[in-house]
PDB file of all heavy atoms in Angstrom:
ATOM      1  N   ARG A   1      50.842  18.731 153.674  1.00  0.00           N
ATOM      2  CA  ARG A   1      50.003  18.399 154.841  1.00  0.00           C
ATOM      3  C   ARG A   1      48.758  19.274 154.892  1.00  0.00           C
ATOM      4  O   ARG A   1      47.670  18.805 155.239  1.00  0.00           O
ATOM      5  CB  ARG A   1      50.810  18.576 156.135  1.00  0.00           C
ATOM      6  CG  ARG A   1      51.880  17.520 156.359  1.00  0.00           C
ATOM      7  CD  ARG A   1      52.406  17.572 157.792  1.00  0.00           C
ATOM      8  NE  ARG A   1      52.998  18.859 158.144  1.00  0.00           N
ATOM      9  CZ  ARG A   1      54.281  19.177 157.966  1.00  0.00           C
ATOM     10  NH1 ARG A   1      55.105  18.282 157.421  1.00  0.00           N
ATOM     11  NH2 ARG A   1      54.742  20.351 158.334  1.00  0.00           N
ATOM     12  N   ASN A   2      48.914  20.554 154.546  1.00  0.00           N
ATOM     13  CA  ASN A   2      47.795  21.481 154.695  1.00  0.00           C
ATOM     14  C   ASN A   2      46.741  21.358 153.610  1.00  0.00           C
ATOM     15  O   ASN A   2      45.622  21.836 153.794  1.00  0.00           O
ATOM     16  CB  ASN A   2      48.323  22.918 154.748  1.00  0.00           C
ATOM     17  CG  ASN A   2      48.791  23.318 156.134  1.00  0.00           C
ATOM     18  OD1 ASN A   2      47.987  23.684 156.983  1.00  0.00           O
ATOM     19  ND2 ASN A   2      50.097  23.229 156.383  1.00  0.00           N
ATOM     20  N   ILE A   3      47.079  20.739 152.492  1.00  0.00           N
ATOM     21  CA  ILE A   3      46.057  20.559 151.450  1.00  0.00           C
ATOM     22  C   ILE A   3      45.600  19.110 151.347  1.00  0.00           C
ATOM     23  O   ILE A   3      44.879  18.750 150.415  1.00  0.00           O
ATOM     24  CB  ILE A   3      46.555  21.060 150.076  1.00  0.00           C
ATOM     25  CG1 ILE A   3      47.763  20.270 149.591  1.00  0.00           C
ATOM     26  CG2 ILE A   3      46.850  22.552 150.135  1.00  0.00           C
ATOM     27  CD1 ILE A   3      48.178  20.623 148.173  1.00  0.00           C
ATOM     28  N   THR A   4      45.996  18.295 152.308  1.00  0.00           N
ATOM     29  CA  THR A   4      45.510  16.912 152.338  1.00  0.00           C
ATOM     30  C   THR A   4      43.985  16.905 152.385  1.00  0.00           C
ATOM     31  O   THR A   4      43.373  17.625 153.175  1.00  0.00           O
ATOM     32  CB  THR A   4      46.070  16.177 153.574  1.00  0.00           C
ATOM     33  OG1 THR A   4      47.497  16.121 153.484  1.00  0.00           O
ATOM     34  CG2 THR A   4      45.518  14.759 153.655  1.00  0.00           C
ATOM     35  N   GLY A   5      43.390  16.110 151.512  1.00  0.00           N
ATOM     36  CA  GLY A   5      41.936  16.031 151.461  1.00  0.00           C
ATOM     37  C   GLY A   5      41.288  17.070 150.583  1.00  0.00           C
ATOM     38  O   GLY A   5      40.081  17.000 150.340  1.00  0.00           O
ATOM     39  N   ARG A   6      42.061  18.040 150.099  1.00  0.00           N
ATOM     40  CA  ARG A   6      41.495  19.067 149.223  1.00  0.00           C
ATOM     41  C   ARG A   6      42.412  19.349 148.037  1.00  0.00           C
ATOM     42  O   ARG A   6      42.339  20.411 147.424  1.00  0.00           O
ATOM     43  CB  ARG A   6      41.216  20.342 150.015  1.00  0.00           C
ATOM     44  CG  ARG A   6      42.423  20.954 150.672  1.00  0.00           C
ATOM     45  CD  ARG A   6      42.068  21.893 151.827  1.00  0.00           C
ATOM     46  NE  ARG A   6      41.026  22.833 151.548  1.00  0.00           N
ATOM     47  CZ  ARG A   6      40.418  23.596 152.472  1.00  0.00           C
ATOM     48  NH1 ARG A   6      40.784  23.509 153.726  1.00  0.00           N
ATOM     49  NH2 ARG A   6      39.470  24.437 152.149  1.00  0.00           N
ATOM     50  N   ARG A   7      43.271  18.382 147.721  1.00  0.00           N
ATOM     51  CA  ARG A   7      44.229  18.578 146.638  1.00  0.00           C
ATOM     52  C   ARG A   7      43.551  18.968 145.332  1.00  0.00           C
ATOM     53  O   ARG A   7      44.021  19.868 144.613  1.00  0.00           O
ATOM     54  CB  ARG A   7      45.062  17.302 146.426  1.00  0.00           C
ATOM     55  CG  ARG A   7      46.001  17.351 145.205  1.00  0.00           C
ATOM     56  CD  ARG A   7      47.088  18.385 145.400  1.00  0.00           C
ATOM     57  NE  ARG A   7      47.886  18.615 144.193  1.00  0.00           N
ATOM     58  CZ  ARG A   7      47.638  19.554 143.301  1.00  0.00           C
ATOM     59  NH1 ARG A   7      46.587  20.367 143.439  1.00  0.00           N
ATOM     60  NH2 ARG A   7      48.425  19.709 142.248  1.00  0.00           N
ATOM     61  N   ALA A   8      42.454  18.311 144.986  1.00  0.00           N
ATOM     62  CA  ALA A   8      41.794  18.581 143.706  1.00  0.00           C
ATOM     63  C   ALA A   8      41.211  19.984 143.645  1.00  0.00           C
ATOM     64  O   ALA A   8      40.966  20.515 142.559  1.00  0.00           O
ATOM     65  CB  ALA A   8      40.699  17.554 143.450  1.00  0.00           C
ATOM     66  N   ASP A   9      40.997  20.604 144.807  1.00  0.00           N
ATOM     67  CA  ASP A   9      40.410  21.941 144.856  1.00  0.00           C
ATOM     68  C   ASP A   9      41.454  23.030 145.034  1.00  0.00           C
ATOM     69  O   ASP A   9      41.113  24.211 145.113  1.00  0.00           O
ATOM     70  CB  ASP A   9      39.403  22.035 146.007  1.00  0.00           C
ATOM     71  CG  ASP A   9      38.272  21.042 145.851  1.00  0.00           C
ATOM     72  OD1 ASP A   9      37.810  20.852 144.717  1.00  0.00           O
ATOM     73  OD2 ASP A   9      37.858  20.452 146.860  1.00  0.00           O
ATOM     74  N   PHE A  10      42.731  22.637 145.096  1.00  0.00           N
ATOM     75  CA  PHE A  10      43.787  23.603 145.361  1.00  0.00           C
ATOM     76  C   PHE A  10      44.745  23.638 144.180  1.00  0.00           C
ATOM     77  O   PHE A  10      45.215  22.596 143.712  1.00  0.00           O
ATOM     78  CB  PHE A  10      44.545  23.240 146.636  1.00  0.00           C
ATOM     79  CG  PHE A  10      45.320  24.389 147.215  1.00  0.00           C
ATOM     80  CD1 PHE A  10      44.702  25.297 148.063  1.00  0.00           C
ATOM     81  CD2 PHE A  10      46.658  24.575 146.916  1.00  0.00           C
ATOM     82  CE1 PHE A  10      45.410  26.371 148.599  1.00  0.00           C
ATOM     83  CE2 PHE A  10      47.369  25.639 147.438  1.00  0.00           C
ATOM     84  CZ  PHE A  10      46.744  26.537 148.290  1.00  0.00           C
ATOM     85  N   VAL A  11      45.031  24.834 143.691  1.00  0.00           N
ATOM     86  CA  VAL A  11      45.870  25.015 142.505  1.00  0.00           C
ATOM     87  C   VAL A  11      47.307  25.292 142.942  1.00  0.00           C
ATOM     88  O   VAL A  11      47.587  26.316 143.580  1.00  0.00           O
ATOM     89  CB  VAL A  11      45.343  26.169 141.633  1.00  0.00           C
ATOM     90  CG1 VAL A  11      46.270  26.404 140.444  1.00  0.00           C
ATOM     91  CG2 VAL A  11      43.920  25.869 141.158  1.00  0.00           C
ATOM     92  N   LEU A  12      48.204  24.384 142.581  1.00  0.00           N
ATOM     93  CA  LEU A  12      49.617  24.539 142.892  1.00  0.00           C
ATOM     94  C   LEU A  12      50.369  25.021 141.658  1.00  0.00           C
ATOM     95  O   LEU A  12      50.362  24.368 140.619  1.00  0.00           O
ATOM     96  CB  LEU A  12      50.221  23.215 143.369  1.00  0.00           C
ATOM     97  CG  LEU A  12      49.872  22.767 144.791  1.00  0.00           C
ATOM     98  CD1 LEU A  12      50.473  21.387 145.054  1.00  0.00           C
ATOM     99  CD2 LEU A  12      50.365  23.773 145.818  1.00  0.00           C
ATOM    100  N   GLN A  13      51.003  26.161 141.795  1.00  0.00           N
ATOM    101  CA  GLN A  13      51.875  26.702 140.765  1.00  0.00           C
ATOM    102  C   GLN A  13      53.295  26.494 141.274  1.00  0.00           C
ATOM    103  O   GLN A  13      53.753  27.193 142.172  1.00  0.00           O
ATOM    104  CB  GLN A  13      51.574  28.186 140.565  1.00  0.00           C
ATOM    105  CG  GLN A  13      52.511  28.904 139.605  1.00  0.00           C
ATOM    106  CD  GLN A  13      52.135  30.357 139.433  1.00  0.00           C
ATOM    107  OE1 GLN A  13      51.194  30.698 138.724  1.00  0.00           O
ATOM    108  NE2 GLN A  13      52.861  31.260 140.094  1.00  0.00           N
ATOM    109  N   ALA A  14      53.982  25.496 140.748  1.00  0.00           N
ATOM    110  CA  ALA A  14      55.306  25.144 141.257  1.00  0.00           C
ATOM    111  C   ALA A  14      56.327  25.242 140.130  1.00  0.00           C
ATOM    112  O   ALA A  14      56.005  25.046 138.961  1.00  0.00           O
ATOM    113  CB  ALA A  14      55.286  23.746 141.862  1.00  0.00           C
ATOM    114  N   HIS A  15      57.567  25.504 140.498  1.00  0.00           N
ATOM    115  CA  HIS A  15      58.563  25.916 139.513  1.00  0.00           C
ATOM    116  C   HIS A  15      59.515  24.796 139.116  1.00  0.00           C
ATOM    117  O   HIS A  15      60.076  24.099 139.968  1.00  0.00           O
ATOM    118  CB  HIS A  15      59.358  27.098 140.056  1.00  0.00           C
ATOM    119  CG  HIS A  15      58.558  28.350 140.172  1.00  0.00           C
ATOM    120  ND1 HIS A  15      59.010  29.569 139.720  1.00  0.00           N
ATOM    121  CD2 HIS A  15      57.309  28.584 140.652  1.00  0.00           C
ATOM    122  CE1 HIS A  15      58.094  30.509 139.940  1.00  0.00           C
ATOM    123  NE2 HIS A  15      57.053  29.911 140.519  1.00  0.00           N
ATOM    124  N   LEU A  16      59.671  24.657 137.803  1.00  0.00           N
ATOM    125  CA  LEU A  16      60.757  23.870 137.251  1.00  0.00           C
ATOM    126  C   LEU A  16      62.004  24.756 137.228  1.00  0.00           C
ATOM    127  O   LEU A  16      61.894  25.972 137.103  1.00  0.00           O
ATOM    128  CB  LEU A  16      60.416  23.422 135.827  1.00  0.00           C
ATOM    129  CG  LEU A  16      59.093  22.664 135.649  1.00  0.00           C
ATOM    130  CD1 LEU A  16      58.840  22.402 134.171  1.00  0.00           C
ATOM    131  CD2 LEU A  16      59.085  21.374 136.438  1.00  0.00           C
ATOM    132  N   CYS A  17      63.163  24.147 137.292  1.00  0.00           N
ATOM    133  CA  CYS A  17      64.443  24.868 137.237  1.00  0.00           C
ATOM    134  C   CYS A  17      64.839  25.474 138.576  1.00  0.00           C
ATOM    135  O   CYS A  17      65.645  26.411 138.635  1.00  0.00           O
ATOM    136  CB  CYS A  17      64.470  25.938 136.151  1.00  0.00           C
ATOM    137  SG  CYS A  17      64.155  25.308 134.496  1.00  0.00           S
ATOM    138  N   THR A  18      64.273  24.991 139.678  1.00  0.00           N
ATOM    139  CA  THR A  18      64.799  25.328 140.992  1.00  0.00           C
ATOM    140  C   THR A  18      65.145  24.017 141.693  1.00  0.00           C
ATOM    141  O   THR A  18      64.434  23.019 141.555  1.00  0.00           O
ATOM    142  CB  THR A  18      63.794  26.112 141.855  1.00  0.00           C
ATOM    143  OG1 THR A  18      62.664  25.290 142.159  1.00  0.00           O
ATOM    144  CG2 THR A  18      63.340  27.368 141.148  1.00  0.00           C
ATOM    145  N   ALA A  19      66.245  24.022 142.430  1.00  0.00           N
ATOM    146  CA  ALA A  19      66.711  22.806 143.120  1.00  0.00           C
ATOM    147  C   ALA A  19      67.158  23.172 144.528  1.00  0.00           C
ATOM    148  O   ALA A  19      67.456  24.338 144.821  1.00  0.00           O
ATOM    149  CB  ALA A  19      67.861  22.169 142.345  1.00  0.00           C
ATOM    150  N   TRP A  20      67.188  22.159 145.396  1.00  0.00           N
ATOM    151  CA  TRP A  20      67.637  22.339 146.774  1.00  0.00           C
ATOM    152  C   TRP A  20      68.954  21.598 146.943  1.00  0.00           C
ATOM    153  O   TRP A  20      69.008  20.380 146.859  1.00  0.00           O
ATOM    154  CB  TRP A  20      66.592  21.784 147.733  1.00  0.00           C
ATOM    155  CG  TRP A  20      66.800  22.142 149.174  1.00  0.00           C
ATOM    156  CD1 TRP A  20      67.190  21.314 150.184  1.00  0.00           C
ATOM    157  CD2 TRP A  20      66.598  23.422 149.780  1.00  0.00           C
ATOM    158  NE1 TRP A  20      67.260  21.989 151.365  1.00  0.00           N
ATOM    159  CE2 TRP A  20      66.900  23.295 151.158  1.00  0.00           C
ATOM    160  CE3 TRP A  20      66.207  24.668 149.283  1.00  0.00           C
ATOM    161  CZ2 TRP A  20      66.813  24.364 152.048  1.00  0.00           C
ATOM    162  CZ3 TRP A  20      66.117  25.727 150.172  1.00  0.00           C
ATOM    163  CH2 TRP A  20      66.413  25.570 151.535  1.00  0.00           C
ATOM    164  N   GLN A  21      70.005  22.362 147.141  1.00  0.00           N
ATOM    165  CA  GLN A  21      71.338  21.758 147.251  1.00  0.00           C
ATOM    166  C   GLN A  21      72.085  22.349 148.438  1.00  0.00           C
ATOM    167  O   GLN A  21      72.164  23.569 148.585  1.00  0.00           O
ATOM    168  CB  GLN A  21      72.142  21.983 145.962  1.00  0.00           C
ATOM    169  CG  GLN A  21      71.571  21.251 144.758  1.00  0.00           C
ATOM    170  CD  GLN A  21      72.426  21.408 143.513  1.00  0.00           C
ATOM    171  OE1 GLN A  21      73.495  22.013 143.566  1.00  0.00           O
ATOM    172  NE2 GLN A  21      71.973  20.860 142.402  1.00  0.00           N
ATOM    173  N   ASN A  22      72.616  21.469 149.283  1.00  0.00           N
ATOM    174  CA  ASN A  22      73.392  21.886 150.459  1.00  0.00           C
ATOM    175  C   ASN A  22      72.604  22.863 151.336  1.00  0.00           C
ATOM    176  O   ASN A  22      73.143  23.835 151.861  1.00  0.00           O
ATOM    177  CB  ASN A  22      74.717  22.526 150.025  1.00  0.00           C
ATOM    178  CG  ASN A  22      75.568  21.592 149.188  1.00  0.00           C
ATOM    179  OD1 ASN A  22      75.697  20.409 149.512  1.00  0.00           O
ATOM    180  ND2 ASN A  22      76.139  22.106 148.100  1.00  0.00           N
ATOM    181  N   GLY A  23      71.289  22.557 151.453  1.00  0.00           N
ATOM    182  CA  GLY A  23      70.446  23.381 152.306  1.00  0.00           C
ATOM    183  C   GLY A  23      70.120  24.745 151.761  1.00  0.00           C
ATOM    184  O   GLY A  23      69.695  25.641 152.499  1.00  0.00           O
ATOM    185  N   GLN A  24      70.290  24.933 150.440  1.00  0.00           N
ATOM    186  CA  GLN A  24      70.043  26.241 149.839  1.00  0.00           C
ATOM    187  C   GLN A  24      69.286  26.119 148.517  1.00  0.00           C
ATOM    188  O   GLN A  24      69.383  25.100 147.828  1.00  0.00           O
ATOM    189  CB  GLN A  24      71.362  26.981 149.585  1.00  0.00           C
ATOM    190  CG  GLN A  24      72.095  27.402 150.846  1.00  0.00           C
ATOM    191  CD  GLN A  24      73.315  28.243 150.532  1.00  0.00           C
ATOM    192  OE1 GLN A  24      73.899  28.114 149.463  1.00  0.00           O
ATOM    193  NE2 GLN A  24      73.693  29.118 151.443  1.00  0.00           N
ATOM    194  N   TYR A  25      68.563  27.193 148.195  1.00  0.00           N
ATOM    195  CA  TYR A  25      67.891  27.318 146.901  1.00  0.00           C
ATOM    196  C   TYR A  25      68.913  27.537 145.801  1.00  0.00           C
ATOM    197  O   TYR A  25      69.890  28.271 145.968  1.00  0.00           O
ATOM    198  CB  TYR A  25      66.917  28.502 146.972  1.00  0.00           C
ATOM    199  CG  TYR A  25      66.665  29.237 145.680  1.00  0.00           C
ATOM    200  CD1 TYR A  25      65.682  28.811 144.792  1.00  0.00           C
ATOM    201  CD2 TYR A  25      67.409  30.372 145.350  1.00  0.00           C
ATOM    202  CE1 TYR A  25      65.446  29.509 143.613  1.00  0.00           C
ATOM    203  CE2 TYR A  25      67.173  31.071 144.178  1.00  0.00           C
ATOM    204  CZ  TYR A  25      66.188  30.638 143.315  1.00  0.00           C
ATOM    205  OH  TYR A  25      65.961  31.319 142.155  1.00  0.00           O
ATOM    206  N   LYS A  26      68.671  26.908 144.661  1.00  0.00           N
ATOM    207  CA  LYS A  26      69.535  27.100 143.496  1.00  0.00           C
ATOM    208  C   LYS A  26      68.664  27.152 142.246  1.00  0.00           C
ATOM    209  O   LYS A  26      67.833  26.262 142.024  1.00  0.00           O
ATOM    210  CB  LYS A  26      70.537  25.956 143.373  1.00  0.00           C
ATOM    211  CG  LYS A  26      71.398  26.025 142.108  1.00  0.00           C
ATOM    212  CD  LYS A  26      72.265  24.778 141.949  1.00  0.00           C
ATOM    213  CE  LYS A  26      73.063  24.821 140.649  1.00  0.00           C
ATOM    214  NZ  LYS A  26      73.867  23.589 140.448  1.00  0.00           N
ATOM    215  N   ALA A  27      68.853  28.203 141.433  1.00  0.00           N
ATOM    216  CA  ALA A  27      68.234  28.232 140.108  1.00  0.00           C
ATOM    217  C   ALA A  27      69.141  27.452 139.167  1.00  0.00           C
ATOM    218  O   ALA A  27      70.353  27.673 139.152  1.00  0.00           O
ATOM    219  CB  ALA A  27      68.076  29.670 139.626  1.00  0.00           C
ATOM    220  N   THR A  28      68.579  26.523 138.405  1.00  0.00           N
ATOM    221  CA  THR A  28      69.400  25.655 137.560  1.00  0.00           C
ATOM    222  C   THR A  28      68.768  25.469 136.198  1.00  0.00           C
ATOM    223  O   THR A  28      67.539  25.479 136.074  1.00  0.00           O
ATOM    224  CB  THR A  28      69.613  24.283 138.222  1.00  0.00           C
ATOM    225  OG1 THR A  28      70.411  23.463 137.358  1.00  0.00           O
ATOM    226  CG2 THR A  28      68.283  23.577 138.493  1.00  0.00           C
ATOM    227  N   ARG A  29      69.590  25.309 135.176  1.00  0.00           N
ATOM    228  CA  ARG A  29      69.132  24.954 133.831  1.00  0.00           C
ATOM    229  C   ARG A  29      69.694  23.599 133.422  1.00  0.00           C
ATOM    230  O   ARG A  29      69.560  23.209 132.269  1.00  0.00           O
ATOM    231  CB  ARG A  29      69.570  26.027 132.822  1.00  0.00           C
ATOM    232  CG  ARG A  29      69.218  27.448 133.226  1.00  0.00           C
ATOM    233  CD  ARG A  29      67.740  27.687 133.449  1.00  0.00           C
ATOM    234  NE  ARG A  29      67.499  29.009 134.031  1.00  0.00           N
ATOM    235  CZ  ARG A  29      66.311  29.487 134.368  1.00  0.00           C
ATOM    236  NH1 ARG A  29      65.239  28.732 134.197  1.00  0.00           N
ATOM    237  NH2 ARG A  29      66.183  30.691 134.886  1.00  0.00           N
ATOM    238  N   ASP A  30      70.318  22.920 134.374  1.00  0.00           N
ATOM    239  CA  ASP A  30      70.830  21.582 134.108  1.00  0.00           C
ATOM    240  C   ASP A  30      69.669  20.593 134.133  1.00  0.00           C
ATOM    241  O   ASP A  30      68.984  20.452 135.149  1.00  0.00           O
ATOM    242  CB  ASP A  30      71.866  21.203 135.165  1.00  0.00           C
ATOM    243  CG  ASP A  30      72.456  19.824 134.936  1.00  0.00           C
ATOM    244  OD1 ASP A  30      71.833  18.832 135.398  1.00  0.00           O
ATOM    245  OD2 ASP A  30      73.512  19.737 134.292  1.00  0.00           O
ATOM    246  N   LEU A  31      69.426  19.912 133.016  1.00  0.00           N
ATOM    247  CA  LEU A  31      68.229  19.089 132.880  1.00  0.00           C
ATOM    248  C   LEU A  31      68.171  17.987 133.927  1.00  0.00           C
ATOM    249  O   LEU A  31      67.091  17.695 134.468  1.00  0.00           O
ATOM    250  CB  LEU A  31      68.157  18.494 131.467  1.00  0.00           C
ATOM    251  CG  LEU A  31      66.892  17.702 131.144  1.00  0.00           C
ATOM    252  CD1 LEU A  31      65.645  18.547 131.369  1.00  0.00           C
ATOM    253  CD2 LEU A  31      66.937  17.198 129.701  1.00  0.00           C
ATOM    254  N   THR A  32      69.287  17.370 134.231  1.00  0.00           N
ATOM    255  CA  THR A  32      69.290  16.312 135.240  1.00  0.00           C
ATOM    256  C   THR A  32      68.877  16.859 136.600  1.00  0.00           C
ATOM    257  O   THR A  32      68.064  16.249 137.315  1.00  0.00           O
ATOM    258  CB  THR A  32      70.682  15.662 135.327  1.00  0.00           C
ATOM    259  OG1 THR A  32      71.011  15.089 134.062  1.00  0.00           O
ATOM    260  CG2 THR A  32      70.700  14.573 136.392  1.00  0.00           C
ATOM    261  N   GLU A  33      69.413  18.019 136.963  1.00  0.00           N
ATOM    262  CA  GLU A  33      69.036  18.634 138.238  1.00  0.00           C
ATOM    263  C   GLU A  33      67.565  19.031 138.244  1.00  0.00           C
ATOM    264  O   GLU A  33      66.870  18.873 139.261  1.00  0.00           O
ATOM    265  CB  GLU A  33      69.907  19.873 138.496  1.00  0.00           C
ATOM    266  CG  GLU A  33      71.361  19.539 138.784  1.00  0.00           C
ATOM    267  CD  GLU A  33      72.193  20.774 139.060  1.00  0.00           C
ATOM    268  OE1 GLU A  33      71.733  21.906 138.763  1.00  0.00           O
ATOM    269  OE2 GLU A  33      73.309  20.608 139.587  1.00  0.00           O
TER     270      GLU A  33
END
């Protein structure tokens, strides 16, 4: 919501291998997850 309209000007560094399960953060190496 906060970068709406400025997505191209904002750099997102987001992580692979993290998942949200049962309301909690989980580090995972399971490819499907």
Side-chain angles (χ1 to χ4, degrees):
R1 288 193 300 271
N2 277 279
I3 63 173
T4 297
R6 60 201 313 169
R7 174 66 189 93
D9 300 320
F10 199 85
V11 177
L12 285 176
Q13 174 179 283
H15 291 227
L16 305 175
C17 302
T18 65
W20 191 251
Q21 293 184 4
N22 302 316
Q24 292 186 333
Y25 150 87
K26 175 187 177 182
T28 180
R29 309 302 171 182
D30 181 275
L31 185 56
T32 299
E33 291 181 345

